[in-house]
Amino acid sequence: MAKTTLMAGAGPAAAAARPARRGKTLGRRIRDNWQMYLLLLIPVALTLIYKYIPMYGIQIAFRDFKASLGYAGSEWVGWYWFKRFFSAPTCWRMIKNTVLISLYSLLWGFPIPIFLSLMINQLRHPKFKRVVQTVLYAPHFISIMVICGMLRIFLSPSGGLLNLLLGSSVDFLTESSAFRTIYVASGVWQDAGWGCIIYLATLANVDPGLYEAAKVDGASIFQRILHIDIPALMPMAVLNLIMAAGGLMNVGFEKVWLLQTDLNKAASDVIAVYVYEQGIQSAKYSYSTAVGLFNTVVNILLLLIVNKVASKASDVEFM
């Protein structure tokens, strides 16, 4: 009987406590934190205006778009522009060049910032460490236009630094076989130092007690890097790899456009430049939109594939 009375007495109290445990409703949370939600409206509005609303224009890729007729008035042609692109004589050359340049940039540009961050993290003199970081970061702030001007000077057949060192007079920018090396090497030089910032920030959050314990156990510098630093960097490295793979087909338009010549087109003819030539210079809006849409779809597929592979290989997944 006492047990029954106790349960009956506890019923109303439990019932009164249940709404409190459920927490505040969405409307109440918005009223209590309206300032934060008001600030959130700004990036949400910008994202909708500049990222999602323009997707309505994707239909241009499936129409024979004429600006005077608008979207609805232009004739629907289905997959015509995609078939035209795949039947173009330079289609597969552009795809090949885009993939190779991006792949080489990823193979060299992805691991080097990790190596730099591991080496910089071992520097113990604060002033020297700051100088090294400044020297490595500086190229990132040089514009692509200036970078390409410097490359033309360094690689000039008459008085260029590389030709002076080699004792030759080769115009490397006209050599198709040298274009990918020039593009990738200049990209690594410009962005590797900047790319290691996020890894250095990750290493700065590693518990110093781990290093002290490893030293007590007699671990060498290499062993501390292998068993403490690299595991700490792995989640961030996987995230950067996934993001880089998602833009594998997005070869930098500006640098290719500025370094491209008629003599190196066999290696520098990429999709981004082709979209610019067809869409802006030739005003073939439907055709260029179809090519750009194909490029985007390939990037999305690569992003999903790399994310799945990386999650299985490292037990880290971000999607």
Side-chain angles (χ1 to χ4, degrees), residues 64-75:
D64 184 11
F65 179 73
K66 292 179 173 55
S68 58
L69 299 177
Y71 294 125
S74 300
E75 180 186 359

Side-chain angles (χ1 to χ4, degrees), residues 15-258:
R18 272 198 293 272
R21 283 200 296 269
R22 282 201 298 267
K24 298 179 181 178
T25 62
L26 177 61
R28 181 65 181 274
R29 290 199 299 270
I30 293 176
R31 286 195 299 271
D32 291 346
N33 303 281
W34 65 269
Q35 300 96 333
M36 303 300 294
Y37 284 97
L38 185 63
L39 289 175
L40 183 63
L41 284 177
I42 299 174
V44 169
L46 291 175
T47 302
L48 289 174
I49 293 172
Y50 292 106
K51 299 295 183 180
Y52 286 93
I53 293 178
M55 287 185 183
Y56 179 73
I58 290 177
Q59 63 179 295
I60 295 176
F62 304 94
R63 295 181 181 272
D64 184 11
F65 179 73
K66 292 179 173 55
S68 58
L69 299 177
Y71 294 125
S74 300
E75 180 186 359
W76 183 270
V77 295
W79 300 99
Y80 171 77
W81 299 113
F82 295 92
K83 294 177 182 177
R84 179 173 170 179
F85 171 63
F86 290 120
S87 62
T90 58
C91 169
W92 299 109
R93 185 181 75 177
M94 287 186 295
I95 295 176
K96 174 188 173 184
N97 290 337
T98 302
V99 171
L100 287 179
I101 291 175
S102 297
L103 191 59
Y104 292 153
S105 298
L106 180 62
L107 290 176
W108 287 98
F110 173 71
I112 289 180
I114 298 176
F115 294 146
L116 284 176
S117 63
L118 292 173
M119 290 188 291
I120 293 174
N121 192 55
Q122 298 303 317
L123 298 178
R124 292 295 173 257
H125 197 286
K127 290 185 178 179
F128 180 67
K129 187 175 183 178
R130 286 196 294 270
V131 170
V132 171
Q133 288 177 296
T134 302
V135 171
L136 292 174
Y137 299 165
H140 175 78
F141 299 98
I142 304 176
S143 70
I144 295 294
M145 181 73 74
V146 175
I147 291 290
C148 293
M150 294 169 62
L151 289 174
R152 290 187 176 277
I153 294 173
F154 294 153
L155 302 176
S156 172
S158 56
L161 178 62
L162 186 58
N163 278 301
L164 290 176
L165 294 174
L166 298 176
S168 59
S169 57
V170 179
D171 191 354
F172 292 98
L173 288 176
T174 62
E175 299 286 337
S176 295
S177 58
F179 181 83
R180 296 186 189 117
T181 302
I182 294 170
Y183 183 95
V184 173
S186 60
V188 170
W189 171 72
Q190 186 177 14
D191 295 324
W194 184 258
C196 74
I197 291 178
I198 193 168
Y199 296 116
L200 287 172
T202 302
L203 291 173
N205 290 322
V206 176
D207 185 3
L210 294 175
Y211 296 109
E212 297 299 329
K215 289 179 182 178
V216 171
D217 291 338
S220 63
I221 293 178
F222 177 76
Q223 289 173 324
R224 294 198 296 270
I225 291 174
L226 185 62
H227 297 289
I228 299 176
D229 292 343
I230 292 180
L233 293 178
M234 189 57 65
M236 188 56 63
V238 172
L239 175 60
N240 284 339
L241 177 61
I242 293 171
M243 298 301 292
L248 190 64
M249 297 289 286
N250 291 335
V251 174
F253 161 77
E254 297 89 350
K255 189 188 293 186
V256 175
W257 176 255
L258 292 170

